[in-house]
Amino acid sequence: MKRILKGSIGVFLLLGFLLLGCDQDKKASSESKAQTYTCPMHPEILQNGPGTCPICKMDLVPLHSTAAHGPADDSLNALVKPTNELVISGIKTVRPEKGSRTAEMSLKGVINYNTNNWKSVSARVSGRIERLYVKYSFEQVRKGQKIMDIYSPDLANAQQELLFLKNNSELILLESAKKKLLFLGFTQSQIDQVLRSGKISPTVSVYSPYSGYVAELALNAAASSGSSAQAGGTRISSSSSAGMNEMNSGGSADVVPTVQSISTGQALQIREGQYVTAGQKLFDLINTEQVWAEFFARPDQLQEFKRGMKVSVRSLDIAEQNSDVQVDLIQPYYREGVNYSLIRANLPNSNRAWKVGQLISVSKQSKADGNWVPRTAVLQLGKKYVVFIRRNSAFVPVYIQVNKLTDEWVDIGNSLGPDQEIAINAWFLVDTESFIKAERL
């Protein structure tokens, strides 16, 4: 009996020690987990137990182990979650609609010189410039305006011949002498003045046969570094970008024709006292009463433009400045190895409202058949397009093919079935502030 009691006492003592040891281990582990504190502003401050930060005097907070949170999730599942987790379960859905929509194609362009209206003023006789009334480039000249006084022996001899035939009553030859003076640059009023006075004018005034702005095009073309185009030619800038966002513009790349640089306010090369020869060009006259609206189109856009069709030209700076004109030229070749074609339309400009170098937007409207979804339902990621389709209680992103774009609709072709539901606002699933529609500037 005593042996049994002694054995029982030993067993109870052993169990007591084991239980006491387990409790101490749990207590130690729990205390170790709660003993480390740190400062939110200074994480280098660590201490075992609550307290204040010695730097900023803030209360210390427990330091939690990163292992308790698990590894970071860098997959797309963390970005696109079921709608009940993003509080968008009530977002409206739509289905693709087959039918016709009015599509508007908008391309960027520029107002350029109409080189068909450029004129050259040349000396009809040899002589010396006694006085010059036009002295600076881009000075405005009107038809019939006096541009210079010139002394020419040829003109003096022609006047002497005219008076001789008049005095000898050679009427047939007299008419021929008048025509000769007209060809040499005389006006009818100048001929009548010589016949009335009977005197020869040694210095004759020369009047402009055209209206326009004075320019020396040959000198400007030679001064243009790296320019191989002729005067008034159009070329593609090598620094142009071909990556414009098509969802925003609906047009071609951000490439516009360049305009030839013409110096303004500089003195002309001809001077008073200078001798000129018959046929020598004095200067050029640029007329801007008719200008060109020029823009580039990609090969896939050329089928939308035909010669003679109407397009709408609108200024990018002045909203109320616009005009409807006809396409006059579709350039049938590419220049400088760039896969764009030049399209040109003549633009009347009698009131000088359109300025050369002014940026414009050229647009045309046409009806197109397709499988349409709202433009807000399509999200562009680089060169790809995405919509969110409903699958059970969540929205799943899928890639689609875009055939045509309008201001409000997108033709997705056969990318989705007719019964497929998609979110009406794709951006709402990524950024809840993106549904705000900005006005066009």
Side-chain angles (χ1 to χ4, degrees):
M1 187 67 180
K2 291 182 179 180
R3 291 180 179 179
I4 295 174
L5 291 174
K6 289 181 180 180
S8 300
I9 293 173
V11 171
F12 285 125
L13 289 175
L14 180 60
L15 292 175
F17 285 127
L18 291 174
L19 292 174
L20 181 61
C22 292
D23 292 339
Q24 290 178 351
D25 291 340
K26 293 180 179 179
K27 183 177 180 181
S29 62
S30 61
E31 289 179 356
S32 64
K33 292 181 181 178
Q35 280 181 351
T36 305
Y37 285 75
T38 184
C39 176
M41 300 299 296
H42 304 88
E44 68 274 11
I45 303 300
L46 299 173
Q47 86 176 34
N48 297 329
T52 58
C53 176
I55 300 176
C56 62
K57 306 304 179 181
M58 290 182 62
D59 293 336
L60 300 182
V61 296
L63 178 64
H64 299 287
S65 175
T66 57
H69 299 282
D73 186 5
D74 58 353
S75 65
L76 289 178
N77 295 329
L79 176 64
V80 183
K81 294 184 177 181
T83 56
N84 57 352
E85 294 186 18
L86 294 178
V87 199
I88 55 172
S89 59
I91 187 172
K92 186 179 179 181
T93 59
V94 294
R95 291 185 175 91
E97 299 179 6
K98 286 190 176 182
S100 299
R101 296 291 188 275
T102 300
E104 181 180 21
M105 179 181 296
S106 179
L107 305 176
K108 299 298 184 294
V110 67
I111 298 298
N112 211 338
Y113 294 105
N114 186 342
T115 56
N116 294 331
N117 295 332
W118 288 8
K119 308 295 183 181
S120 295
V121 178
S122 303
R124 297 192 179 187
V125 294
S126 300
R128 183 181 68 247
I129 299 176
E130 297 294 331
R131 186 172 183 183
L132 190 64
Y133 297 96
V134 178
K135 299 182 179 181
Y136 299 98
S137 60
F138 230 77
E139 185 174 342
Q140 187 175 9
V141 174
R142 300 189 181 277
K143 184 177 180 179
Q145 178 180 335
K146 184 188 295 187
I147 56 177
M148 69 175 66
D149 293 332
I150 187 172
Y151 166 74
S152 173
D154 295 338
L155 289 178
N157 293 335
Q159 293 177 73
Q160 183 66 45
E161 181 182 352
L162 178 69
L163 293 177
F164 176 79
L165 294 174
K166 175 191 175 184
N167 295 333
N168 289 274
S169 301
E170 297 287 347
L171 299 181
I172 298 177
L173 295 179
L174 181 63
E175 292 299 322
S176 298
K178 292 180 180 179
K179 291 181 180 180
K180 180 181 179 179
L181 283 173
L182 291 175
F183 290 147
L184 293 178
F186 258 61
T187 63
Q188 186 61 47
S189 60
Q190 288 175 314
I191 295 175
D192 295 339
Q193 176 65 25
V194 173
L195 293 175
R196 286 194 302 267
S197 64
K199 296 181 180 179
I200 298 174
S201 176
T203 302
V204 179
S205 298
V206 179
Y207 298 89
S208 174
Y210 315 109
S211 298
Y213 297 91
V214 177
E216 294 177 321
L217 299 179
L219 297 175
N220 282 280
S224 300
S225 59
S227 174
S228 60
Q230 297 295 327
T234 305
R235 57 191 182 276
I236 301 176
S237 173
S238 59
S239 61
S240 60
S241 170
M244 174 176 284
N245 189 335
E246 296 180 3
M247 284 291 290
N248 293 332
S249 66
S252 66
D254 190 12
V255 181
V256 296
T258 58
V259 180
Q260 181 182 359
S261 176
I262 297 179
S263 302
T264 59
Q266 295 184 359
L268 298 177
Q269 297 298 313
I270 58 174
R271 298 286 191 273
E272 293 181 354
Q274 179 179 341
Y275 282 87
V276 295
T277 59
Q280 177 181 345
K281 187 175 76 169
L282 304 177
F283 49 79
D284 299 282
L285 288 177
I286 299 176
N287 193 324
T288 58
E289 291 185 357
Q290 189 179 57
V291 293
W292 283 337
E294 295 186 334
F295 55 99
F296 284 116
R298 299 192 309 266
D300 60 301
Q301 296 171 331
L302 283 179
Q303 59 182 353
E304 301 292 337
F305 294 94
K306 303 295 180 182
R307 185 175 179 182
M309 71 178 302
K310 285 192 175 182
V311 294
S312 179
V313 179
R314 180 174 59 87
S315 171
L316 294 182
D317 301 321
I318 307 175
E320 60 273 9
Q321 186 177 3
N322 57 79
S323 180
D324 294 333
V325 294
Q326 290 184 347
V327 173
D328 293 310
L329 171 69
I330 299 178
Q331 185 173 273
Y333 59 90
Y334 302 131
R335 305 184 65 177
E336 298 186 8
V338 180
N339 200 17
Y340 293 96
S341 292
L342 174 70
I343 301 178
R344 177 182 296 158
N346 284 327
L347 189 62
N349 192 34
S350 57
N351 57 355
R352 307 296 197 281
W354 297 99
K355 308 299 181 183
V356 174
Q358 184 177 358
L359 295 179
I360 57 175
S361 174
V362 182
S363 59
K364 65 172 292 292
Q365 291 186 348
S366 61
K367 284 191 175 182
D369 296 329
N371 198 21
W372 305 92
V373 297
R375 193 159 184 170
T376 56
V378 180
L379 174 67
Q380 184 177 9
L381 300 177
K383 295 184 178 180
K384 296 182 178 180
Y385 299 91
V386 174
V387 296
F388 287 84
I389 63 174
R390 179 184 288 277
R391 185 172 297 172
N392 298 329
S393 61
F395 286 93
V396 179
V398 294
Y399 290 114
I400 60 170
Q401 178 183 358
V402 173
N403 295 336
K404 294 183 180 66
L405 296 172
T406 70
D407 289 338
E408 302 292 339
W409 299 91
V410 179
D411 179 15
I412 63 173
N414 298 323
S415 301
L416 299 176
D419 297 330
Q420 184 67 64
E421 293 186 8
I422 63 174
I424 194 172
N425 195 324
W427 276 106
F428 189 80
L429 301 180
V430 180
D431 182 1
T432 57
E433 302 298 328
S434 300
F435 67 92
I436 300 176
K437 183 178 180 181
E439 295 182 359
R440 175 181 286 183
L441 298 179

